Amino acid sequence: MVLAAFTAGCEKEIPFEGEDARTRIVMQSFLQPNNFFVVQLTESKSVLESKWDDYPPILGASVKMYKNGSYVEDLIQDPSNPDGLYYYFGLVEPGATYRFDVTHPNFEGVSGTTRVPETTPVFTAELIDTTGSEWTLEVTVNDVAPGPTHFLFELSFSQFGTNNQMAYFYSNDQFLLTPQGYFDPVDPYQYFNGEAFFTDEHFNNGTYSFRLEFYADFWTTQQYDYIDVVVKHASDDYYLYQFSGQLQQWVDGDPFAQPAQVHNNVENGIGCIGSFNPAVVRIDL
């Protein structure tokens, strides 16, 4: 009884308003020059909910688009496909700044802005060793954009009329980054799941060259027609969102990993309004 009285006396009530637990609008849009505008709206979910693959779409929202500060149009929702996607069938312009303002009677309004990278990456990609089943690719990127620049690199096998297959590759270049990597102090290589991140911070006289190796056996070269090498000039928000999102997935469930916070640039909500300007070099197999 003494113990019960003692512990009861130590109780302290801490008020919790639950503001951060409220359901909010999740807004995503990744703009690319000469493509249509698409904005996806879904509802946020509590960390206590088990169905992480089921995000209810938000229907009946008002999505207003502004270009360089001037109102352009309201995005429209396809009434036959209630998936939370809103469209505007104009074309994205490089160098323009776009803002989306969203209102809905059941949620707090949100807003997000991105400036589409003006310059398309300039780069070369050349196979310099195709002997055996591990091929070597050399890539040289020219820094043609003013100011600090973020890049994403993608390598995939492609076949006409089908989706691309991301190519696993490895490299000992210290400036190629990935959030999904194993650390081995005796292995000089970093391993990539078809994608790498880098910036122009370490460019030498305006260029950056790196080599990577990937697996291309006889059956792979017979199944696919091309190797697609993609370099994306990314907006800061797109770069940070993609990197942090992959990092969060990589450490999820690891009790010893440092928690990863996914980058968010949606005011009053969750998600990312980002953009990128890509270039592709296609190599025949």
Side-chain angles (χ1 to χ4, degrees), residues 16-189:
F16 176 64
E17 300 296 335
E19 180 180 353
D20 292 336
R22 71 191 188 278
T23 301
R24 293 189 281 180
I25 294 177
V26 179
M27 177 167 61
Q28 286 187 331
S29 182
F30 304 130
L31 305 184
Q32 178 181 347
N34 301 315
N35 279 249
F36 299 139
F37 296 82
V38 182
V39 174
Q40 184 177 37
L41 302 179
T42 56
E43 298 181 18
S44 66
K45 299 186 69 172
S46 167
V47 295
L48 301 178
E49 296 187 49
S50 59
K51 293 184 177 181
W52 283 96
D53 58 344
D54 180 22
Y55 292 89
I58 294 179
L59 309 178
S62 168
V63 183
K64 297 185 180 297
M65 186 179 77
Y66 298 80
K67 174 185 173 184
N68 298 328
S70 298
Y71 171 74
V72 176
E73 189 68 73
D74 277 32
L75 275 67
I76 60 174
Q77 179 188 337
D78 183 359
S80 64
N81 190 12
D83 51 9
L85 295 178
Y86 296 76
Y87 301 90
Y88 173 64
F89 295 105
L91 296 180
V92 176
E93 295 183 15
T97 298
Y98 295 97
R99 187 180 87 245
F100 301 96
D101 290 347
V102 177
T103 57
H104 192 281
N106 298 333
F107 303 94
E108 183 178 1
V110 300
S111 178
T113 303
T114 185
R115 183 183 185 276
V116 182
E118 185 171 4
T119 56
T120 301
V122 177
F123 75 100
T124 59
E126 181 182 2
L127 289 171
I128 61 174
D129 187 359
T130 57
T131 59
S133 59
E134 295 186 4
W135 292 6
T136 302
L137 180 72
E138 183 174 73
V139 179
T140 299
V141 183
N142 297 323
D143 191 10
V144 296
T149 308
H150 294 85
F151 296 95
L152 275 74
F153 171 85
E154 296 176 357
L155 182 68
S156 63
F157 296 105
S158 65
Q159 185 179 27
F160 181 77
T162 64
N163 293 328
N164 287 16
Q165 174 64 47
M166 300 299 284
Y168 292 89
F169 61 90
Y170 60 95
S171 175
N172 61 1
D173 189 288
Q174 60 179 325
F175 301 132
L176 289 178
L177 305 176
T178 175
Q180 303 180 6
Y182 295 99
F183 176 71
D184 186 342
V186 299
D187 189 347
Y189 292 101

Side-chain angles (χ1 to χ4, degrees), residues 209-229:
S209 296
F210 59 90
R211 291 185 178 185
L212 57 88
E213 297 186 50
F214 62 99
Y215 193 68
D217 61 4
F218 173 80
W219 299 110
T220 301
T221 57
Q222 293 300 306
Q223 181 180 359
Y224 297 99
D225 300 318
Y226 314 101
I227 298 172
D228 282 344
V229 186

